[in-house]
Amino acid sequence: MNKLSFSITYEAYEGLQELDERDQSLCKDAVKALKTSWSPYSNFKVGTAVRLSGGEVILGSNQENLAYPSGLCAERVALFTIGASRPDAVIETMVITAHTDNFKITTPVTCCGACLQVMAEFERKQGKEIEVLFYCIDGQVLKVQGIKSLLPFVFVEKRLENGAEQIYPL
């Protein structure tokens, strides 16, 4: 038996003012995305802003459904929008934020496992890591480079790829 471990490196900022202008702007865009959240059941709004390599920003927000499994997280709304409308786009940075009127959110909200898996697929597709910021409104910001830092045992099954390894070498 081998006992193994892994560690991640991330940056922690006390607030928005510590970020550069581009990241501050992207955090503000994620807050704007909260306005389109459809979350009447949980009353927990999630917004994301995704910056593409050309500078374009795509927004996403969580979309709930009375039949809970039919809803979709903000991250996947934005990513699938990019995949469907800009299939060759390269994602540089994503910001995820959240808000609820039910309680004060005091720490950054992170992604669910399903969103991390989709984010990992986009990294594989584009052959480049995605920078991810988790922004707590009026609070801390965490910055991580690459999805493998967040999901080290990402699902990969080479036999399902049918040559995709030549297309997506990451």
Side-chain angles (χ1 to χ4, degrees):
M1 182 211 42
N2 292 322
K3 194 172 199 175
L4 307 171
S5 67
F6 64 89
S7 64
I8 68 165
T9 301
Y10 64 97
E11 298 171 8
Y13 300 87
E14 289 305 313
L16 199 59
Q17 70 283 355
E18 292 184 20
L19 299 173
D20 66 31
E21 284 184 34
R22 289 184 81 210
D23 286 347
Q24 284 185 33
S25 178
L26 200 61
C27 287
K28 291 173 185 175
D29 287 337
V31 172
K32 289 177 191 171
L34 294 170
K35 294 176 185 165
T36 62
S37 169
W38 175 252
S39 47
Y41 309 106
S42 71
N43 294 308
F44 192 81
K45 298 175 183 299
V46 180
T48 190
V50 181
R51 184 173 50 236
L52 304 179
S53 61
E56 182 180 10
V57 175
I58 305 297
L59 303 181
S61 61
N62 59 322
Q63 302 296 310
E64 293 181 352
N65 189 288
L66 184 58
Y68 280 122
S70 299
L72 201 56
C73 299
E75 299 91 328
R76 286 182 280 159
V77 167
L79 291 171
F80 292 153
T81 297
I82 292 165
S85 63
R86 295 157 184 83
D88 297 324
V90 175
I91 297 167
E92 287 186 348
T93 306
M94 292 182 68
V95 173
I96 295 92
T97 194
H99 173 78
T100 181
D101 290 330
N102 294 341
F103 53 87
K104 181 167 177 50
I105 299 172
T106 59
T107 58
V109 172
T110 58
C111 304
C112 73
C115 287
L116 291 174
Q117 184 67 45
V118 171
M119 292 160 75
E121 183 70 13
F122 272 79
E123 280 190 347
R124 285 175 27 88
K125 177 182 174 186
Q126 69 186 26
K128 180 181 182 289
E129 290 183 331
I130 299 170
E131 182 178 75
V132 182
L133 285 80
F134 301 107
Y135 171 45
C136 179
I137 299 171
D138 298 325
Q140 190 178 43
V141 181
L142 303 178
K143 184 188 283 192
V144 178
Q145 187 65 40
I147 306 310
K148 287 185 181 178
S149 293
L150 300 168
L151 188 64
F153 294 106
V154 64
F155 176 75
V156 176
E157 176 50 69
K158 296 282 186 193
R159 294 170 293 183
L160 294 175
E161 293 177 351
N162 284 337
E165 66 275 2
Q166 286 127 18
I167 300 169
Y168 311 128
L170 187 65

